[in-house]
Amino acid sequence: MGTTLMVQGTTSDAGKSVLVAGLARVLHRRGLSVVPFKPQNMALNSAVTMDGGEIGRAQALQAAACGLAPHTDMNPVLLKPSSDQGAQVIIHGRPAAELDARAYHDYKPVAREAVLASHGRLTAQYDHVLVEGAGSPAEINLRAGDIANMGFAEAVDCPVILVADIDRGGVFAHLVGTLALLSETERARVRGFVINRFRGDIGLLQSGLDWLEQETGKPVLGVIPYLHGLYLDAEDALPREAMPEKTADALKVVVPALPRISNHTDFDPLRLHPAVDLRFVGPGESLQPADLVILPGSKSVRADLAWLREQGWEEALRQHVRYGGKVLGICGGFQMLGHAVHDPDGVEGQPGSTPALGWLDLETRLAPEKHLERVRGDRVLDREAGVEGYEIHAGVTSGPGLERPLLQLEHGPDGARSTDDAVAGTYVHGVFDTSDAAEALLQWAGMRSGMEKGEDLATARERGLERLADSLEEHLDMNCILTLLQVESTEPVA
């Protein structure tokens, strides 16, 4: 049976996902058999697995760090918020229920069985399991029946590393306060601390590190520097690190940050593209002048469409198109471009129909059965271009507009284009991930020929993982971490 090591955080976004991904790559390139695992994840960024299910995007990234294809056992419980109080519960990659927070608390024994079953299968297949916690283990109101943090660690009897983000401030209070709120057995599981995103002179931090070790009796296993410009897929929050300033002639792209925006990692290749200036616009902001507006995926299409109208953006979009701008919709954004979105079964809320924007001659009927599929194709618009991605949606779209598809995939055409070519949509997440597909779409949107090309997202991701692993090799006590995994010391990769 494989050994298990868990990474927990003092807060959300402390660096758990990144630390697990980096450690996974360190161990993988040392030749060890390692697999990622997150018992319970709450995220609207998801990925389709090789076994036809759905998991958190961060676990797909961690799988890549291990040299593995993503599998539903890597994230057996995924919660996708559909409102402020409710979420779709996905068990082993498939929708199982739509529950509010109180109902999910009662459902936890079922979720726990799924978590332990998946962990058991992974420990039987791999020598080492790296586990990512969720949020913080010190959430007192969530302790009963916990399967995401210490409840899981106690169930499988594994050691824990606690990570905190010094860039947020209050790092010592976060670490000591978290320990104080744990039970005695849980505190004993914490074998050391990692401090993340440090800027400046490490010498000025040393007195604090000495105090922390003396106060808690636990070692600081490393201080990870802030890695500027590091690209890795985001777990859920919109990216907070600014991209380098773009030139004045860069293609201007605007993405409305819908309340239930999903899979915003679709836009990472555009954020990284040297000739694209991409901006997210949120509530209360005006829709900025742009060459291209992209309507993103949404977990609640009708509600987000109503919200978009409340912001006054429908008229702004119509003016954008009248003046020669382009509009692209992805997944839920594609559904918004038709005549109507029907939800007779109440898949995403109250049953009913909502008039959509009406630019594409089609309409969508939401259905309880979710479509999950990894896809690839060879044509974007009317030119040869390799495209790879995945579909993950609950809608069935029909209408004459589909006779002018945007993409040609191996299983057939996808998406639609308006007759004047000003508006287009697709169900494919990751449509910008390959540089050829991105260039075809960006040139359709008005990017001048001869502009510098972007790179495939997989290349950028791989470079980020290697850079992260190099930093962990330099700044972490890897001998201690290997000991926690019951591994005899191995040599780092030169």
Side-chain angles (χ1 to χ4, degrees):
M1 297 290 287
T3 60
T4 298
L5 173 63
M6 190 170 194
V7 173
Q8 297 182 17
T10 57
T11 62
S12 294
D13 201 28
K16 301 181 293 292
S17 297
V18 171
L19 183 57
V20 169
L23 286 174
R25 176 51 58 95
V26 168
L27 299 176
H28 172 64
R29 66 188 192 179
R30 288 185 181 214
L32 299 174
S33 166
V34 59
V35 66
F37 183 67
K38 184 159 186 170
Q40 174 187 293
N41 197 351
M42 178 176 282
L44 287 173
N45 274 351
S46 58
V48 176
T49 63
M50 298 303 292
D51 56 325
E54 183 180 2
I55 63 172
R57 184 81 175 187
Q59 281 60 67
L61 167 70
Q62 293 159 358
C66 297
L68 301 173
H71 190 279
T72 52
D73 276 338
M74 297 173 184
N75 178 204
V77 179
L78 174 62
L79 307 178
K80 300 190 77 171
S82 52
S83 69
D84 289 343
Q85 296 184 341
Q88 183 182 55
V89 181
I90 295 172
I91 301 292
H92 290 144
R94 296 290 178 181
E98 189 82 27
L99 302 174
D100 61 22
R102 189 173 299 277
Y104 180 67
H105 182 77
D106 296 334
Y107 186 84
K108 277 186 177 180
V110 177
R112 176 186 173 91
E113 290 182 12
V115 164
L116 296 179
S118 286
H119 178 259
R121 286 191 289 267
L122 293 181
T123 56
Q125 290 178 264
Y126 299 93
D127 293 338
H128 310 291
V129 181
L130 290 177
V131 185
E132 178 190 340
S136 163
E139 304 292 350
I140 303 301
N141 57 309
L142 300 178
R143 295 286 291 278
D146 171 56
I147 59 172
N149 289 299
M150 283 299 178
F152 171 80
E154 297 261 84
V156 303
D157 191 20
C158 72
V160 172
I161 295 173
L162 190 60
V163 59
D165 179 5
I166 195 171
D167 196 51
R168 292 172 176 264
V171 69
F172 298 112
H174 285 163
L175 289 167
V176 175
T178 298
L179 284 183
L181 293 173
L182 300 179
S183 70
E184 183 176 349
T185 59
E186 291 168 346
R187 278 195 296 273
R189 291 194 178 281
V190 179
R191 304 300 176 84
F193 308 120
V194 172
I195 293 176
N196 190 31
R197 298 192 184 109
F198 177 73
R199 312 174 194 238
D201 182 355
I202 188 69
L204 299 177
L205 186 64
Q206 191 58 52
S207 61
L209 302 181
D210 294 341
W211 174 89
L212 181 64
E213 293 188 338
Q214 182 177 359
E215 179 73 14
T216 64
K218 299 181 186 295
V220 175
L221 302 178
V223 177
I224 310 303
Y226 199 112
L227 297 177
H228 293 277
L230 177 72
Y231 170 70
L232 293 172
D233 307 55
E235 167 80 308
D236 201 34
L238 289 173
R240 64 179 181 173
E241 182 169 336
M243 290 290 102
E245 287 295 320
K246 304 299 176 72
T247 61
D249 60 349
L251 190 81
K252 290 180 171 53
V253 179
V254 166
V255 179
L258 304 174
R260 298 299 169 193
I261 185 173
S262 65
N263 296 80
H264 63 71
T265 46
D266 286 339
F267 310 111
D268 286 356
L270 303 185
R271 293 178 57 240
L272 299 171
H273 198 293
V276 174
D277 180 8
L278 180 134
R279 304 291 172 91
F280 290 97
V281 293
E285 298 183 71
S286 60
L287 205 60
Q288 306 165 18
D291 301 294
L292 172 65
V293 176
I294 306 178
L295 299 181
S298 166
K299 181 64 180 69
S300 299
V301 178
R302 293 171 61 215
D304 276 353
L305 183 54
W307 181 87
L308 186 148
R309 286 174 164 138
E310 290 169 5
Q311 300 299 312
W313 287 351
E314 181 173 14
E315 180 52 38
L317 283 168
R318 295 193 185 284
Q319 182 174 319
H320 165 79
V321 173
R322 280 198 302 270
Y323 282 90
K326 298 293 180 73
V327 175
L328 175 69
I330 299 176
C331 198
F334 172 37
Q335 295 171 350
M336 292 180 188
L337 295 174
H339 295 303
V341 178
H342 307 290
D343 190 2
D345 301 310
V347 173
E348 293 186 350
Q350 289 296 319
S353 296
T354 297
L357 298 172
W359 280 318
L360 296 177
D361 192 8
L362 48 83
E363 55 185 48
T364 299
R365 178 190 174 103
L366 301 183
E369 184 66 25
K370 185 178 288 189
H371 181 81
L372 299 164
E373 184 179 9
R374 296 168 69 96
V375 299
R376 61 194 313 168
D378 59 7
R379 292 194 74 81
V380 178
L381 294 157
D382 295 317
R383 63 187 264 185
E384 290 187 10
V387 60
E388 294 187 28
Y390 56 97
E391 295 183 27
I392 179 168
H393 57 89
V396 177
T397 298
S398 60
L402 299 177
E403 295 172 7
R404 298 190 78 242
L406 182 67
L407 310 177
Q408 289 291 341
L409 304 176
E410 289 178 346
H411 65 64
D414 167 83
R417 290 181 284 162
S418 62
T419 54
D420 62 1
D421 249 3
V423 178
T426 176
Y427 268 124
V428 177
H429 291 290
V431 70
F432 292 106
D433 286 5
T434 63
S435 61
D436 285 349
E439 295 311 303
L441 290 166
L442 294 174
Q443 288 180 18
W444 164 76
M447 190 172 74
R448 295 186 295 106
S449 60
M451 297 286 283
E452 186 178 355
K453 289 185 65 173
E455 65 178 347
D456 287 353
L457 192 67
T459 303
R461 180 185 298 117
E462 190 66 18
R463 186 172 61 251
L465 286 169
E466 285 296 304
R467 182 183 171 201
L468 175 61
D470 288 342
S471 181
L472 297 190
E473 289 275 20
E474 180 179 357
H475 297 286
L476 282 188
D477 184 346
M478 283 305 304
N479 286 332
C480 180
I481 289 170
L482 290 171
T483 298
L484 293 175
L485 285 166
Q486 301 176 30
V487 178
E488 295 183 6
S489 182
T490 61
E491 290 300 316
V493 173

